[in-house]
Amino acid sequence: MDRDGPLGDSLHDLTEGTTEAVETLVSLWARASQTVSPRLSALQLEALLITRRNPSINLTGLAVEVGAAPPAVSRLCDRLEAAGLLRRQPVPTSRREIGLVLTLRGNEIVDALFARRSELFGDVLTRMPAASRREFLAGLEAFSEAARASDFNSGEQA
């Protein structure tokens, strides 16, 4: 693997710079999450987002996605259901399987979160030169592609 960037930067320097920039990005991301009402934990928000992306996901699937044990995810879903954000319902293709779906209120919260994230990120992006915005997006897309190509679950690197 190439250890030096095009400008002679070491991989270490690039890693450090990336880490600092991502900390700012994550802070902005978290700030958007704090504006959602009702206030939800990061895990609760993650469960809502995963359920939205995967309609009728079951408890086991959600547990795998969030990296938690099924009993803990069941309790998490109990709390989200009690708050009126999530609903358990039979899966049409299986009489025994129970799927998870967002309620109207759950969808409204996710929509509000996406809108707030877009607003915060848009504010920052407008302060960047247009060329830098394009480079930023290209870099994030390349980073995402490289991350998807890696097998992080087994601890191996691509």
Side-chain angles (χ1 to χ4, degrees), residues 28-42 44-46 48-49 52 80 83 85 102 104-120:
L28 196 60
W29 193 263
R31 192 175 323 148
S33 300
Q34 293 168 357
T35 65
V36 172
S37 180
R39 273 312 243 312
L40 301 171
S41 71
Q44 289 171 322
L45 276 174
E46 185 178 6
L48 292 179
L49 294 171
R52 170 114 161 217
L80 292 171
L85 305 176
L102 295 186
L104 176 61
R105 181 69 180 129
N107 275 300
E108 288 171 349
I109 285 175
V110 171
D111 289 343
L113 175 63
F114 287 167
R116 185 65 178 138
R117 285 177 179 171
S118 291
E119 179 184 343
L120 290 173

Side-chain angles (χ1 to χ4, degrees), residues 2-158:
D2 182 13
R3 294 288 177 198
D4 291 319
L7 303 176
D9 294 331
S10 71
L11 182 59
H12 174 76
D13 291 343
L14 290 171
T15 301
E16 291 295 314
T18 300
T19 300
E20 289 176 20
V22 169
E23 285 174 359
T24 301
L25 190 122
V26 168
S27 175
L28 196 60
W29 193 263
R31 192 175 323 148
S33 300
Q34 293 168 357
T35 65
V36 172
S37 180
R39 273 312 243 312
L40 301 171
S41 71
L43 185 58
Q44 289 171 322
L45 276 174
E46 185 178 6
L48 292 179
L49 294 171
I50 291 167
T51 302
R52 170 114 161 217
R53 280 193 310 270
N54 304 289
S56 294
I57 191 171
N58 62 21
L59 280 172
T60 302
L62 184 58
V64 169
E65 288 285 325
V66 300
V73 172
S74 181
R75 289 188 300 275
L76 170 71
C77 290
D78 289 344
R79 289 188 297 275
L80 292 171
E81 197 168 19
L85 305 176
L86 186 81
R87 175 174 78 247
R88 290 177 170 102
Q89 68 182 25
V91 174
T93 58
S94 170
R95 288 188 286 171
R96 293 175 25 179
E97 190 172 353
I98 301 296
L100 305 170
V101 294
L102 295 186
T103 63
L104 176 61
R105 181 69 180 129
N107 275 300
E108 288 171 349
I109 285 175
V110 171
D111 289 343
L113 175 63
F114 287 167
R116 185 65 178 138
R117 285 177 179 171
S118 291
E119 179 184 343
L120 290 173
F121 277 66
D123 286 348
V124 173
L125 290 169
T126 59
R127 289 184 250 141
M128 294 171 60
S132 294
R133 289 192 298 258
R134 287 188 293 276
E135 291 171 2
F136 175 70
L137 178 58
L140 283 176
E141 288 172 340
F143 185 89
S144 294
E145 186 176 321
R148 283 189 297 271
S150 297
D151 186 2
F152 291 111
N153 294 329
S154 68
E156 296 175 19
Q157 293 180 353

